[in-house]
Amino acid sequence: MINIEKDLAIGVFDSGVGGISVLAELVKSLPNEKFIYYGDSQNAPYGTRSTEEVKTLSFNVVDRLLEHGIKALVVACNTATSGAIEDLRQTFNIPIVGMEPALKPAVELNKKGIIIVMATPVTLREQKFNNLIKNFSNDVEVVKLPCPGLVEIIETKGGRGKEIQQYIKKAFSSIDMSKVSSIVLGCTHYIFIKEEIIDFIGDKDITLIDGNKGTANQLQRLLAQEKLLNPTESKGDTKVKMINSNNTMMPLSKKLFQEHLETIDFKGNIVYR
Ligand code: DGL
């Protein structure tokens, strides 16, 4: 990578508020960095669209982020990663980190039982995920659980409430939960409904897994490798800029961000730019 300024921000995007859970994890891992988050709620959901549409929307968002100047990009969306990451990497000469359902860590738990992967229809149908199943599932049974319509509820209601409880109950109605070993949250929006899923699971021994920490680790590795880590101390303040293509989403975005920072025990201070 050539001539990228180390003090530029890291661009993070999602189709809406989902990637905010990833942003929180990135801020916790790299508090000396500046971040700019773009949520494309105006065009959410991406997960029920054609692959071509997902690509076009993703490129539009990355163009917006580049106007602000970024040194690296995190595609904090499993759907946009599966539909667009290869084209993005071929087009833009900055480090790009994507997300995929955390199936590998789920398999590595070596628990007996079925692994459920909750994700959008796009993520589950794309080649990227089906290769992942081929490479990692061996003789473990993996059940794909597409959740169309769930992102829309989270975009309007946040992560808790009756509507979400009803959705979860219906989505799992054909699954024998006593046979389930783990549930992979393969869409960044679903991180916000974790508590509702935990309530639904009750006292069964089912592990919930997501890829947020792994994504933060991967970004850290890549920035170190490309010598792009910001050398300036943030003195406990991390600068974050938040943008949404639908401005009315800003209050919910900030609320989810602050709540999630608390959930993951972030000790620093956020300064909105
Ligand atoms: N948050 C996105 C993901 O991780 C998908 C949301 C959508 O369908 O727009 O897959």
Side-chain angles (χ1 to χ4, degrees):
M1 302 285 161
I2 29 144
N3 277 340
I4 308 174
E5 302 282 339
K6 292 182 183 162
D7 65 347
L8 285 177
I10 293 159
V12 184
F13 91 90
D14 177 47
S15 62
V17 298
I20 288 170
S21 65
V22 185
L23 175 69
E25 201 67 64
L26 302 177
V27 162
K28 187 177 175 185
S29 292
L30 295 160
N32 288 342
E33 300 293 337
K34 283 185 260 178
F35 294 89
I36 172 161
Y37 181 86
Y38 193 106
D40 194 14
S41 296
Q42 189 68 36
N43 295 304
Y46 283 12
T48 45
R49 291 175 180 273
S50 71
T51 309
E52 269 320 300
E53 281 178 306
V54 172
K55 268 188 199 158
T56 306
L57 291 168
S58 302
F59 270 83
N60 285 344
V61 170
V62 177
D63 284 341
R64 295 287 83 72
L65 284 170
L66 286 166
E67 283 166 13
H68 290 267
I70 55 168
K71 64 176 178 184
L73 175 73
V74 177
V75 183
C77 175
N78 296 262
T79 307
T81 300
S82 54
I85 199 143
E86 267 149 45
D87 291 25
L88 291 171
R89 285 195 174 122
Q90 274 168 25
T91 310
F92 302 110
N93 193 21
I94 53 171
I96 300 181
V97 176
M99 297 197 71
E100 61 187 10
L103 181 62
K104 187 170 174 253
V107 172
E108 284 170 353
L109 285 177
N110 262 324
K111 280 175 79 180
K112 218 168 135 329
I114 302 165
I115 297 174
I116 308 278
V117 181
M118 293 174 76
T120 68
V122 170
T123 301
L124 295 175
R125 78 162 183 247
E126 282 295 322
Q127 196 60 43
K128 210 170 184 339
F129 180 66
N130 290 293
N131 288 343
L132 204 62
I133 293 197
K134 249 188 250 151
N135 293 339
F136 293 110
S137 61
N138 304 321
D139 31 34
V140 184
E141 188 183 346
V142 177
V143 171
K144 297 179 186 178
L145 190 64
C147 299
L150 183 52
V151 161
E152 289 93 314
I153 305 175
I154 299 166
E155 287 274 314
T156 48
K157 302 268 158 69
R160 299 218 68 155
K162 251 211 150 36
E163 233 178 299
I164 289 168
Q165 289 155 15
Q166 281 161 354
Y167 191 104
I168 295 169
K169 208 167 156 210
K170 191 151 177 252
F172 282 92
S173 58
S174 62
I175 293 166
D176 179 352
M177 295 306 285
S178 67
K179 298 208 167 86
V180 176
S181 65
S182 47
I183 300 172
V184 176
L185 304 176
C187 167
T188 52
H189 279 77
Y190 305 166
I191 314 297
F192 291 124
I193 64 164
K194 211 170 175 173
E195 292 306 316
E196 293 291 8
I197 299 176
I198 289 171
D199 287 352
F200 172 74
I201 290 170
D203 57 7
K204 289 177 215 59
D205 176 26
I206 299 176
T207 314
L208 285 188
I209 302 172
D210 67 67
N212 284 10
K213 187 90 194 83
T215 304
N217 292 343
Q218 174 63 6
L219 176 66
Q220 195 159 19
R221 265 195 299 272
L222 210 55
L223 290 178
Q225 181 189 310
E226 301 293 338
K227 305 206 169 19
L228 280 173
L229 287 165
N230 187 3
T232 319
E233 272 290 326
S234 73
K235 299 192 176 62
D237 288 344
T238 305
K239 292 188 185 125
V240 174
K241 187 175 181 64
M242 275 203 182
I243 306 173
N244 195 295
S245 53
N246 174 354
N247 212 27
T248 64
M249 294 299 287
M250 288 316 293
L252 178 64
S253 301
K254 286 191 177 163
K255 180 174 174 273
L256 290 173
F257 185 45
Q258 291 298 343
E259 283 174 3
H260 203 70
L261 284 168
E262 270 173 45
T263 310
I264 62 171
D265 206 22
F266 172 68
K267 297 273 185 263
N269 183 41
I270 300 295
V271 176
Y272 289 103
R273 296 192 284 146

